Amino acid sequence: MNYQDEALKKIKDEVVELSASPLYAERVKNKYFPVIGEGSHSAQILFVGEAPGENEAKTGRPFCGRAGKVLDDLLVSVGIVRSDVYVTNIVKDRPPGNRDPFPDEIEIYAPFLDRQIKIIKPKMVATLGRFSMQYIMSRYGLEWELDSISKLHGKVFDTADFKFVPLYHPAAAIYNQHLLDTLKEDFKILKTCGIV
Ligand code: URA
């Protein structure tokens, strides 16, 4: 195992044992898995979703349900191979009933996301949805640029460590063709930054 494999494995072990999380009891009760992340440990692009849905919590894999199918299609549409990128979420356990994550849940899991970013060192971080957008912008020096996702989606921002692109959440495009078209257009930006 190289440094990245080992450091990411340590994150996994810590999240598995995270009994201090408000979502831990739900995980145990439902025999769910935490969803740590998946993909290349030296990815140039790191995607950050919101939190696992039911399919994800049952398998331990991010974006493997309906939203994942939309993400897969979007990646194919711009010729990006999913195993070349890294896909994770800000919250690593499933909030009951697919509700929005609570601030204390984001607070307890976000340091793991920060460590994943430090270890993988992506050239670009692309957030999926407003919760991960708000977190990354506040945490990485873009708090003054914060606005609604409808204003910011598809724009490229520079941080000290990576380029940042906020994107709509693929789940929002399942029944919304207009939003799907917007996401498709925005995904092209991932290719135009000279990264992949
Ligand atoms: N929605 C998310 O935000 N993340 C997943 O992993 C699946 C659905």
PDB file of all heavy atoms in Angstrom, residues 48-50 90 100-101 103 106 110 113 127-150 152 164 166-167:
ATOM      1  N   VAL A  48     -17.803  15.897  -4.773  1.00  0.00           N
ATOM      2  CA  VAL A  48     -18.336  15.831  -3.409  1.00  0.00           C
ATOM      3  C   VAL A  48     -19.850  15.975  -3.450  1.00  0.00           C
ATOM      4  O   VAL A  48     -20.375  17.059  -3.743  1.00  0.00           O
ATOM      5  CB  VAL A  48     -17.776  16.951  -2.506  1.00  0.00           C
ATOM      6  CG1 VAL A  48     -18.187  16.697  -1.059  1.00  0.00           C
ATOM      7  CG2 VAL A  48     -16.271  17.072  -2.622  1.00  0.00           C
ATOM      8  N   GLY A  49     -20.559  14.880  -3.162  1.00  0.00           N
ATOM      9  CA  GLY A  49     -22.016  14.930  -3.060  1.00  0.00           C
ATOM     10  C   GLY A  49     -22.435  15.329  -1.654  1.00  0.00           C
ATOM     11  O   GLY A  49     -21.648  15.880  -0.871  1.00  0.00           O
ATOM     12  N   GLU A  50     -23.677  14.976  -1.330  1.00  0.00           N
ATOM     13  CA  GLU A  50     -24.261  15.431  -0.072  1.00  0.00           C
ATOM     14  C   GLU A  50     -24.122  14.358   1.024  1.00  0.00           C
ATOM     15  O   GLU A  50     -23.328  14.500   1.947  1.00  0.00           O
ATOM     16  CB  GLU A  50     -25.723  15.746  -0.370  1.00  0.00           C
ATOM     17  CG  GLU A  50     -26.506  16.322   0.749  1.00  0.00           C
ATOM     18  CD  GLU A  50     -27.911  16.659   0.249  1.00  0.00           C
ATOM     19  OE1 GLU A  50     -28.051  17.368  -0.769  1.00  0.00           O
ATOM     20  OE2 GLU A  50     -28.867  16.190   0.869  1.00  0.00           O
ATOM     21  N   ILE A  90     -20.035  14.785   1.553  1.00  0.00           N
ATOM     22  CA  ILE A  90     -19.613  15.526   2.744  1.00  0.00           C
ATOM     23  C   ILE A  90     -20.015  14.749   4.002  1.00  0.00           C
ATOM     24  O   ILE A  90     -19.234  14.618   4.939  1.00  0.00           O
ATOM     25  CB  ILE A  90     -20.138  16.981   2.721  1.00  0.00           C
ATOM     26  CG1 ILE A  90     -19.621  17.736   3.927  1.00  0.00           C
ATOM     27  CG2 ILE A  90     -21.625  17.085   2.621  1.00  0.00           C
ATOM     28  CD1 ILE A  90     -19.693  19.219   3.763  1.00  0.00           C
ATOM     29  N   ASP A 100     -32.379  16.418   4.421  1.00  0.00           N
ATOM     30  CA  ASP A 100     -31.156  17.202   4.304  1.00  0.00           C
ATOM     31  C   ASP A 100     -30.272  16.952   5.518  1.00  0.00           C
ATOM     32  O   ASP A 100     -30.787  16.754   6.626  1.00  0.00           O
ATOM     33  CB  ASP A 100     -31.482  18.712   4.254  1.00  0.00           C
ATOM     34  CG  ASP A 100     -32.145  19.110   2.937  1.00  0.00           C
ATOM     35  OD1 ASP A 100     -32.086  18.317   1.979  1.00  0.00           O
ATOM     36  OD2 ASP A 100     -32.710  20.218   2.894  1.00  0.00           O
ATOM     37  N   PRO A 101     -28.948  16.999   5.320  1.00  0.00           N
ATOM     38  CA  PRO A 101     -28.083  16.832   6.495  1.00  0.00           C
ATOM     39  C   PRO A 101     -28.194  18.005   7.451  1.00  0.00           C
ATOM     40  O   PRO A 101     -28.378  19.150   7.024  1.00  0.00           O
ATOM     41  CB  PRO A 101     -26.674  16.760   5.902  1.00  0.00           C
ATOM     42  CG  PRO A 101     -26.762  17.143   4.480  1.00  0.00           C
ATOM     43  CD  PRO A 101     -28.200  17.135   4.069  1.00  0.00           C
ATOM     44  N   PRO A 103     -26.617  20.611  10.414  1.00  0.00           N
ATOM     45  CA  PRO A 103     -25.289  21.226  10.594  1.00  0.00           C
ATOM     46  C   PRO A 103     -24.337  20.404  11.460  1.00  0.00           C
ATOM     47  O   PRO A 103     -23.154  20.316  11.164  1.00  0.00           O
ATOM     48  CB  PRO A 103     -25.613  22.576  11.247  1.00  0.00           C
ATOM     49  CG  PRO A 103     -27.007  22.886  10.806  1.00  0.00           C
ATOM     50  CD  PRO A 103     -27.712  21.569  10.678  1.00  0.00           C
ATOM     51  N   ILE A 106     -22.848  17.662   9.322  1.00  0.00           N
ATOM     52  CA  ILE A 106     -21.806  18.176   8.428  1.00  0.00           C
ATOM     53  C   ILE A 106     -20.527  18.436   9.232  1.00  0.00           C
ATOM     54  O   ILE A 106     -19.425  18.066   8.804  1.00  0.00           O
ATOM     55  CB  ILE A 106     -22.293  19.453   7.705  1.00  0.00           C
ATOM     56  CG1 ILE A 106     -23.415  19.062   6.730  1.00  0.00           C
ATOM     57  CG2 ILE A 106     -21.144  20.156   6.971  1.00  0.00           C
ATOM     58  CD1 ILE A 106     -24.056  20.202   5.995  1.00  0.00           C
ATOM     59  N   ALA A 110     -17.133  16.582   8.063  1.00  0.00           N
ATOM     60  CA  ALA A 110     -16.358  17.423   7.135  1.00  0.00           C
ATOM     61  C   ALA A 110     -14.836  17.288   7.299  1.00  0.00           C
ATOM     62  O   ALA A 110     -14.119  17.314   6.289  1.00  0.00           O
ATOM     63  CB  ALA A 110     -16.786  18.887   7.275  1.00  0.00           C
ATOM     64  N   LEU A 113     -13.563  14.785   4.964  1.00  0.00           N
ATOM     65  CA  LEU A 113     -13.483  15.280   3.581  1.00  0.00           C
ATOM     66  C   LEU A 113     -12.221  16.131   3.392  1.00  0.00           C
ATOM     67  O   LEU A 113     -11.511  15.974   2.395  1.00  0.00           O
ATOM     68  CB  LEU A 113     -14.741  16.100   3.237  1.00  0.00           C
ATOM     69  CG  LEU A 113     -14.704  16.825   1.890  1.00  0.00           C
ATOM     70  CD1 LEU A 113     -14.647  15.815   0.735  1.00  0.00           C
ATOM     71  CD2 LEU A 113     -15.922  17.739   1.734  1.00  0.00           C
ATOM     72  N   THR A 127     -18.355  20.185  -6.578  1.00  0.00           N
ATOM     73  CA  THR A 127     -19.390  19.812  -5.617  1.00  0.00           C
ATOM     74  C   THR A 127     -20.699  19.532  -6.345  1.00  0.00           C
ATOM     75  O   THR A 127     -21.001  20.138  -7.385  1.00  0.00           O
ATOM     76  CB  THR A 127     -19.600  20.916  -4.563  1.00  0.00           C
ATOM     77  OG1 THR A 127     -19.773  22.174  -5.223  1.00  0.00           O
ATOM     78  CG2 THR A 127     -18.419  21.001  -3.627  1.00  0.00           C
ATOM     79  N   LEU A 128     -21.472  18.619  -5.783  1.00  0.00           N
ATOM     80  CA  LEU A 128     -22.769  18.242  -6.338  1.00  0.00           C
ATOM     81  C   LEU A 128     -23.828  18.635  -5.312  1.00  0.00           C
ATOM     82  O   LEU A 128     -23.975  17.972  -4.288  1.00  0.00           O
ATOM     83  CB  LEU A 128     -22.803  16.734  -6.616  1.00  0.00           C
ATOM     84  CG  LEU A 128     -21.691  16.220  -7.554  1.00  0.00           C
ATOM     85  CD1 LEU A 128     -21.605  14.701  -7.525  1.00  0.00           C
ATOM     86  CD2 LEU A 128     -21.930  16.706  -8.988  1.00  0.00           C
ATOM     87  N   GLY A 129     -24.488  19.751  -5.558  1.00  0.00           N
ATOM     88  CA  GLY A 129     -25.521  20.209  -4.630  1.00  0.00           C
ATOM     89  C   GLY A 129     -25.026  21.319  -3.723  1.00  0.00           C
ATOM     90  O   GLY A 129     -23.837  21.606  -3.634  1.00  0.00           O
ATOM     91  N   ARG A 130     -25.993  21.928  -3.013  1.00  0.00           N
ATOM     92  CA  ARG A 130     -25.667  23.171  -2.299  1.00  0.00           C
ATOM     93  C   ARG A 130     -24.959  22.951  -0.971  1.00  0.00           C
ATOM     94  O   ARG A 130     -24.195  23.795  -0.522  1.00  0.00           O
ATOM     95  CB  ARG A 130     -26.919  24.024  -2.114  1.00  0.00           C
ATOM     96  CG  ARG A 130     -27.923  23.490  -1.173  1.00  0.00           C
ATOM     97  CD  ARG A 130     -29.266  24.168  -1.358  1.00  0.00           C
ATOM     98  NE  ARG A 130     -30.302  23.314  -0.864  1.00  0.00           N
ATOM     99  CZ  ARG A 130     -30.811  23.398   0.358  1.00  0.00           C
ATOM    100  NH1 ARG A 130     -30.397  24.323   1.187  1.00  0.00           N
ATOM    101  NH2 ARG A 130     -31.755  22.571   0.739  1.00  0.00           N
ATOM    102  N   PHE A 131     -25.173  21.797  -0.325  1.00  0.00           N
ATOM    103  CA  PHE A 131     -24.532  21.613   0.984  1.00  0.00           C
ATOM    104  C   PHE A 131     -23.019  21.514   0.854  1.00  0.00           C
ATOM    105  O   PHE A 131     -22.273  22.154   1.595  1.00  0.00           O
ATOM    106  CB  PHE A 131     -25.091  20.376   1.701  1.00  0.00           C
ATOM    107  CG  PHE A 131     -26.495  20.593   2.165  1.00  0.00           C
ATOM    108  CD1 PHE A 131     -27.570  20.142   1.413  1.00  0.00           C
ATOM    109  CD2 PHE A 131     -26.746  21.294   3.335  1.00  0.00           C
ATOM    110  CE1 PHE A 131     -28.868  20.373   1.820  1.00  0.00           C
ATOM    111  CE2 PHE A 131     -28.047  21.531   3.761  1.00  0.00           C
ATOM    112  CZ  PHE A 131     -29.109  21.071   2.994  1.00  0.00           C
ATOM    113  N   SER A 132     -22.564  20.717  -0.095  1.00  0.00           N
ATOM    114  CA  SER A 132     -21.104  20.589  -0.263  1.00  0.00           C
ATOM    115  C   SER A 132     -20.536  21.883  -0.857  1.00  0.00           C
ATOM    116  O   SER A 132     -19.426  22.294  -0.519  1.00  0.00           O
ATOM    117  CB  SER A 132     -20.748  19.370  -1.110  1.00  0.00           C
ATOM    118  OG  SER A 132     -21.553  19.278  -2.242  1.00  0.00           O
ATOM    119  N   MET A 133     -21.313  22.567  -1.712  1.00  0.00           N
ATOM    120  CA  MET A 133     -20.860  23.865  -2.244  1.00  0.00           C
ATOM    121  C   MET A 133     -20.623  24.844  -1.093  1.00  0.00           C
ATOM    122  O   MET A 133     -19.566  25.475  -1.006  1.00  0.00           O
ATOM    123  CB  MET A 133     -21.916  24.440  -3.197  1.00  0.00           C
ATOM    124  CG  MET A 133     -21.591  25.840  -3.683  1.00  0.00           C
ATOM    125  SD  MET A 133     -22.936  26.608  -4.620  1.00  0.00           S
ATOM    126  CE  MET A 133     -23.866  27.360  -3.299  1.00  0.00           C
ATOM    127  N   GLN A 134     -21.610  24.953  -0.207  1.00  0.00           N
ATOM    128  CA  GLN A 134     -21.489  25.911   0.904  1.00  0.00           C
ATOM    129  C   GLN A 134     -20.308  25.563   1.797  1.00  0.00           C
ATOM    130  O   GLN A 134     -19.565  26.436   2.229  1.00  0.00           O
ATOM    131  CB  GLN A 134     -22.784  25.927   1.732  1.00  0.00           C
ATOM    132  CG  GLN A 134     -23.872  26.722   1.057  1.00  0.00           C
ATOM    133  CD  GLN A 134     -25.274  26.388   1.577  1.00  0.00           C
ATOM    134  OE1 GLN A 134     -25.449  25.504   2.411  1.00  0.00           O
ATOM    135  NE2 GLN A 134     -26.275  27.079   1.065  1.00  0.00           N
ATOM    136  N   TYR A 135     -20.118  24.280   2.033  1.00  0.00           N
ATOM    137  CA  TYR A 135     -19.006  23.894   2.908  1.00  0.00           C
ATOM    138  C   TYR A 135     -17.659  24.240   2.263  1.00  0.00           C
ATOM    139  O   TYR A 135     -16.808  24.878   2.888  1.00  0.00           O
ATOM    140  CB  TYR A 135     -19.042  22.390   3.249  1.00  0.00           C
ATOM    141  CG  TYR A 135     -17.816  22.038   4.048  1.00  0.00           C
ATOM    142  CD1 TYR A 135     -17.696  22.453   5.372  1.00  0.00           C
ATOM    143  CD2 TYR A 135     -16.739  21.371   3.460  1.00  0.00           C
ATOM    144  CE1 TYR A 135     -16.547  22.208   6.098  1.00  0.00           C
ATOM    145  CE2 TYR A 135     -15.578  21.131   4.179  1.00  0.00           C
ATOM    146  CZ  TYR A 135     -15.497  21.548   5.490  1.00  0.00           C
ATOM    147  OH  TYR A 135     -14.337  21.318   6.204  1.00  0.00           O
ATOM    148  N   ILE A 136     -17.462  23.810   1.034  1.00  0.00           N
ATOM    149  CA  ILE A 136     -16.146  24.022   0.385  1.00  0.00           C
ATOM    150  C   ILE A 136     -15.864  25.523   0.273  1.00  0.00           C
ATOM    151  O   ILE A 136     -14.743  25.978   0.534  1.00  0.00           O
ATOM    152  CB  ILE A 136     -16.105  23.346  -1.020  1.00  0.00           C
ATOM    153  CG1 ILE A 136     -16.151  21.821  -0.872  1.00  0.00           C
ATOM    154  CG2 ILE A 136     -14.884  23.798  -1.814  1.00  0.00           C
ATOM    155  CD1 ILE A 136     -14.873  21.163  -0.395  1.00  0.00           C
ATOM    156  N   MET A 137     -16.860  26.305  -0.087  1.00  0.00           N
ATOM    157  CA  MET A 137     -16.610  27.751  -0.254  1.00  0.00           C
ATOM    158  C   MET A 137     -16.263  28.410   1.084  1.00  0.00           C
ATOM    159  O   MET A 137     -15.361  29.245   1.158  1.00  0.00           O
ATOM    160  CB  MET A 137     -17.813  28.429  -0.911  1.00  0.00           C
ATOM    161  CG  MET A 137     -17.994  27.943  -2.343  1.00  0.00           C
ATOM    162  SD  MET A 137     -19.225  28.844  -3.282  1.00  0.00           S
ATOM    163  CE  MET A 137     -18.326  30.318  -3.731  1.00  0.00           C
ATOM    164  N   SER A 138     -16.951  28.011   2.138  1.00  0.00           N
ATOM    165  CA  SER A 138     -16.662  28.612   3.447  1.00  0.00           C
ATOM    166  C   SER A 138     -15.308  28.156   3.966  1.00  0.00           C
ATOM    167  O   SER A 138     -14.579  28.918   4.592  1.00  0.00           O
ATOM    168  CB  SER A 138     -17.710  28.218   4.486  1.00  0.00           C
ATOM    169  OG  SER A 138     -18.984  28.292   3.933  1.00  0.00           O
ATOM    170  N   ARG A 139     -14.955  26.917   3.688  1.00  0.00           N
ATOM    171  CA  ARG A 139     -13.741  26.329   4.279  1.00  0.00           C
ATOM    172  C   ARG A 139     -12.476  26.735   3.515  1.00  0.00           C
ATOM    173  O   ARG A 139     -11.401  26.781   4.087  1.00  0.00           O
ATOM    174  CB  ARG A 139     -13.907  24.798   4.275  1.00  0.00           C
ATOM    175  CG  ARG A 139     -12.724  23.981   4.676  1.00  0.00           C
ATOM    176  CD  ARG A 139     -12.448  24.079   6.167  1.00  0.00           C
ATOM    177  NE  ARG A 139     -11.325  23.246   6.548  1.00  0.00           N
ATOM    178  CZ  ARG A 139     -10.055  23.549   6.329  1.00  0.00           C
ATOM    179  NH1 ARG A 139      -9.747  24.657   5.725  1.00  0.00           N
ATOM    180  NH2 ARG A 139      -9.089  22.724   6.709  1.00  0.00           N
ATOM    181  N   TYR A 140     -12.607  26.991   2.207  1.00  0.00           N
ATOM    182  CA  TYR A 140     -11.417  27.204   1.380  1.00  0.00           C
ATOM    183  C   TYR A 140     -11.323  28.631   0.835  1.00  0.00           C
ATOM    184  O   TYR A 140     -10.841  28.863  -0.270  1.00  0.00           O
ATOM    185  CB  TYR A 140     -11.343  26.145   0.272  1.00  0.00           C
ATOM    186  CG  TYR A 140     -11.075  24.766   0.842  1.00  0.00           C
ATOM    187  CD1 TYR A 140     -12.127  23.919   1.180  1.00  0.00           C
ATOM    188  CD2 TYR A 140      -9.777  24.329   1.099  1.00  0.00           C
ATOM    189  CE1 TYR A 140     -11.890  22.663   1.743  1.00  0.00           C
ATOM    190  CE2 TYR A 140      -9.529  23.079   1.653  1.00  0.00           C
ATOM    191  CZ  TYR A 140     -10.589  22.263   1.977  1.00  0.00           C
ATOM    192  OH  TYR A 140     -10.345  21.023   2.541  1.00  0.00           O
ATOM    193  N   GLY A 141     -11.815  29.604   1.618  1.00  0.00           N
ATOM    194  CA  GLY A 141     -11.541  31.011   1.325  1.00  0.00           C
ATOM    195  C   GLY A 141     -12.427  31.654   0.273  1.00  0.00           C
ATOM    196  O   GLY A 141     -12.081  32.695  -0.275  1.00  0.00           O
ATOM    197  N   LEU A 142     -13.563  31.037  -0.018  1.00  0.00           N
ATOM    198  CA  LEU A 142     -14.456  31.629  -1.019  1.00  0.00           C
ATOM    199  C   LEU A 142     -15.765  32.108  -0.389  1.00  0.00           C
ATOM    200  O   LEU A 142     -16.772  32.271  -1.083  1.00  0.00           O
ATOM    201  CB  LEU A 142     -14.762  30.605  -2.123  1.00  0.00           C
ATOM    202  CG  LEU A 142     -13.569  30.164  -2.977  1.00  0.00           C
ATOM    203  CD1 LEU A 142     -13.942  28.961  -3.845  1.00  0.00           C
ATOM    204  CD2 LEU A 142     -13.086  31.308  -3.868  1.00  0.00           C
ATOM    205  N   GLU A 143     -15.737  32.341   0.937  1.00  0.00           N
ATOM    206  CA  GLU A 143     -17.000  32.680   1.610  1.00  0.00           C
ATOM    207  C   GLU A 143     -17.609  33.966   1.073  1.00  0.00           C
ATOM    208  O   GLU A 143     -18.828  34.111   1.051  1.00  0.00           O
ATOM    209  CB  GLU A 143     -16.840  32.717   3.136  1.00  0.00           C
ATOM    210  CG  GLU A 143     -15.806  33.685   3.673  1.00  0.00           C
ATOM    211  CD  GLU A 143     -14.420  33.064   3.774  1.00  0.00           C
ATOM    212  OE1 GLU A 143     -13.976  32.411   2.797  1.00  0.00           O
ATOM    213  OE2 GLU A 143     -13.764  33.257   4.800  1.00  0.00           O
ATOM    214  N   TRP A 144     -16.778  34.889   0.584  1.00  0.00           N
ATOM    215  CA  TRP A 144     -17.314  36.163   0.074  1.00  0.00           C
ATOM    216  C   TRP A 144     -18.018  35.996  -1.263  1.00  0.00           C
ATOM    217  O   TRP A 144     -18.768  36.854  -1.701  1.00  0.00           O
ATOM    218  CB  TRP A 144     -16.209  37.218  -0.049  1.00  0.00           C
ATOM    219  CG  TRP A 144     -15.470  37.370   1.238  1.00  0.00           C
ATOM    220  CD1 TRP A 144     -14.155  37.076   1.464  1.00  0.00           C
ATOM    221  CD2 TRP A 144     -16.003  37.796   2.494  1.00  0.00           C
ATOM    222  NE1 TRP A 144     -13.844  37.284   2.779  1.00  0.00           N
ATOM    223  CE2 TRP A 144     -14.955  37.733   3.448  1.00  0.00           C
ATOM    224  CE3 TRP A 144     -17.266  38.209   2.932  1.00  0.00           C
ATOM    225  CZ2 TRP A 144     -15.122  38.080   4.780  1.00  0.00           C
ATOM    226  CZ3 TRP A 144     -17.434  38.555   4.268  1.00  0.00           C
ATOM    227  CH2 TRP A 144     -16.377  38.492   5.165  1.00  0.00           C
ATOM    228  N   GLU A 145     -17.739  34.899  -1.934  1.00  0.00           N
ATOM    229  CA  GLU A 145     -18.361  34.632  -3.240  1.00  0.00           C
ATOM    230  C   GLU A 145     -19.658  33.837  -3.078  1.00  0.00           C
ATOM    231  O   GLU A 145     -20.347  33.584  -4.057  1.00  0.00           O
ATOM    232  CB  GLU A 145     -17.417  33.800  -4.124  1.00  0.00           C
ATOM    233  CG  GLU A 145     -16.018  34.338  -4.245  1.00  0.00           C
ATOM    234  CD  GLU A 145     -15.862  35.233  -5.453  1.00  0.00           C
ATOM    235  OE1 GLU A 145     -16.889  35.610  -6.063  1.00  0.00           O
ATOM    236  OE2 GLU A 145     -14.722  35.550  -5.775  1.00  0.00           O
ATOM    237  N   LEU A 146     -19.959  33.392  -1.861  1.00  0.00           N
ATOM    238  CA  LEU A 146     -21.135  32.519  -1.676  1.00  0.00           C
ATOM    239  C   LEU A 146     -22.426  33.181  -2.165  1.00  0.00           C
ATOM    240  O   LEU A 146     -22.665  34.356  -1.921  1.00  0.00           O
ATOM    241  CB  LEU A 146     -21.288  32.152  -0.203  1.00  0.00           C
ATOM    242  CG  LEU A 146     -20.869  30.736   0.183  1.00  0.00           C
ATOM    243  CD1 LEU A 146     -20.874  30.568   1.700  1.00  0.00           C
ATOM    244  CD2 LEU A 146     -21.762  29.687  -0.462  1.00  0.00           C
ATOM    245  N   ASP A 147     -23.203  32.406  -2.866  1.00  0.00           N
ATOM    246  CA  ASP A 147     -24.480  32.866  -3.399  1.00  0.00           C
ATOM    247  C   ASP A 147     -25.332  31.614  -3.616  1.00  0.00           C
ATOM    248  O   ASP A 147     -24.898  30.504  -3.278  1.00  0.00           O
ATOM    249  CB  ASP A 147     -24.229  33.623  -4.718  1.00  0.00           C
ATOM    250  CG  ASP A 147     -25.315  34.660  -5.005  1.00  0.00           C
ATOM    251  OD1 ASP A 147     -26.444  34.470  -4.522  1.00  0.00           O
ATOM    252  OD2 ASP A 147     -25.041  35.629  -5.723  1.00  0.00           O
ATOM    253  N   SER A 148     -26.499  31.749  -4.219  1.00  0.00           N
ATOM    254  CA  SER A 148     -27.312  30.555  -4.434  1.00  0.00           C
ATOM    255  C   SER A 148     -26.684  29.706  -5.546  1.00  0.00           C
ATOM    256  O   SER A 148     -25.975  30.219  -6.418  1.00  0.00           O
ATOM    257  CB  SER A 148     -28.739  30.951  -4.822  1.00  0.00           C
ATOM    258  OG  SER A 148     -28.694  31.592  -6.074  1.00  0.00           O
ATOM    259  N   ILE A 149     -26.970  28.423  -5.509  1.00  0.00           N
ATOM    260  CA  ILE A 149     -26.388  27.517  -6.512  1.00  0.00           C
ATOM    261  C   ILE A 149     -26.858  27.886  -7.922  1.00  0.00           C
ATOM    262  O   ILE A 149     -26.135  27.692  -8.895  1.00  0.00           O
ATOM    263  CB  ILE A 149     -26.685  26.037  -6.145  1.00  0.00           C
ATOM    264  CG1 ILE A 149     -25.789  25.099  -6.961  1.00  0.00           C
ATOM    265  CG2 ILE A 149     -28.147  25.695  -6.283  1.00  0.00           C
ATOM    266  CD1 ILE A 149     -25.686  23.699  -6.415  1.00  0.00           C
ATOM    267  N   SER A 150     -28.053  28.468  -8.018  1.00  0.00           N
ATOM    268  CA  SER A 150     -28.540  28.860  -9.354  1.00  0.00           C
ATOM    269  C   SER A 150     -27.682  29.977  -9.955  1.00  0.00           C
ATOM    270  O   SER A 150     -27.627  30.139 -11.163  1.00  0.00           O
ATOM    271  CB  SER A 150     -30.013  29.279  -9.287  1.00  0.00           C
ATOM    272  OG  SER A 150     -30.149  30.385  -8.419  1.00  0.00           O
ATOM    273  N   LEU A 152     -24.264  30.299  -9.059  1.00  0.00           N
ATOM    274  CA  LEU A 152     -22.842  29.912  -9.047  1.00  0.00           C
ATOM    275  C   LEU A 152     -22.523  28.664  -9.874  1.00  0.00           C
ATOM    276  O   LEU A 152     -21.357  28.444 -10.218  1.00  0.00           O
ATOM    277  CB  LEU A 152     -22.376  29.668  -7.609  1.00  0.00           C
ATOM    278  CG  LEU A 152     -22.459  30.855  -6.651  1.00  0.00           C
ATOM    279  CD1 LEU A 152     -21.869  30.487  -5.304  1.00  0.00           C
ATOM    280  CD2 LEU A 152     -21.750  32.075  -7.219  1.00  0.00           C
ATOM    281  N   PHE A 164     -12.184  25.091  -8.139  1.00  0.00           N
ATOM    282  CA  PHE A 164     -13.445  24.655  -7.553  1.00  0.00           C
ATOM    283  C   PHE A 164     -14.595  24.964  -8.508  1.00  0.00           C
ATOM    284  O   PHE A 164     -14.694  26.084  -9.013  1.00  0.00           O
ATOM    285  CB  PHE A 164     -13.661  25.384  -6.213  1.00  0.00           C
ATOM    286  CG  PHE A 164     -15.056  25.246  -5.693  1.00  0.00           C
ATOM    287  CD1 PHE A 164     -15.556  24.001  -5.363  1.00  0.00           C
ATOM    288  CD2 PHE A 164     -15.876  26.358  -5.555  1.00  0.00           C
ATOM    289  CE1 PHE A 164     -16.857  23.866  -4.913  1.00  0.00           C
ATOM    290  CE2 PHE A 164     -17.173  26.221  -5.112  1.00  0.00           C
ATOM    291  CZ  PHE A 164     -17.664  24.975  -4.785  1.00  0.00           C
ATOM    292  N   PRO A 166     -18.807  24.545  -8.554  1.00  0.00           N
ATOM    293  CA  PRO A 166     -20.074  24.070  -7.996  1.00  0.00           C
ATOM    294  C   PRO A 166     -21.010  23.587  -9.111  1.00  0.00           C
ATOM    295  O   PRO A 166     -21.155  24.268 -10.137  1.00  0.00           O
ATOM    296  CB  PRO A 166     -20.656  25.315  -7.306  1.00  0.00           C
ATOM    297  CG  PRO A 166     -19.878  26.486  -7.786  1.00  0.00           C
ATOM    298  CD  PRO A 166     -18.734  26.019  -8.634  1.00  0.00           C
ATOM    299  N   LEU A 167     -21.595  22.434  -8.880  1.00  0.00           N
ATOM    300  CA  LEU A 167     -22.543  21.864  -9.854  1.00  0.00           C
ATOM    301  C   LEU A 167     -23.851  21.531  -9.140  1.00  0.00           C
ATOM    302  O   LEU A 167     -23.860  21.294  -7.927  1.00  0.00           O
ATOM    303  CB  LEU A 167     -21.958  20.576 -10.452  1.00  0.00           C
ATOM    304  CG  LEU A 167     -20.639  20.714 -11.214  1.00  0.00           C
ATOM    305  CD1 LEU A 167     -20.007  19.347 -11.443  1.00  0.00           C
ATOM    306  CD2 LEU A 167     -20.866  21.421 -12.553  1.00  0.00           C
TER     307      LEU A 167
END
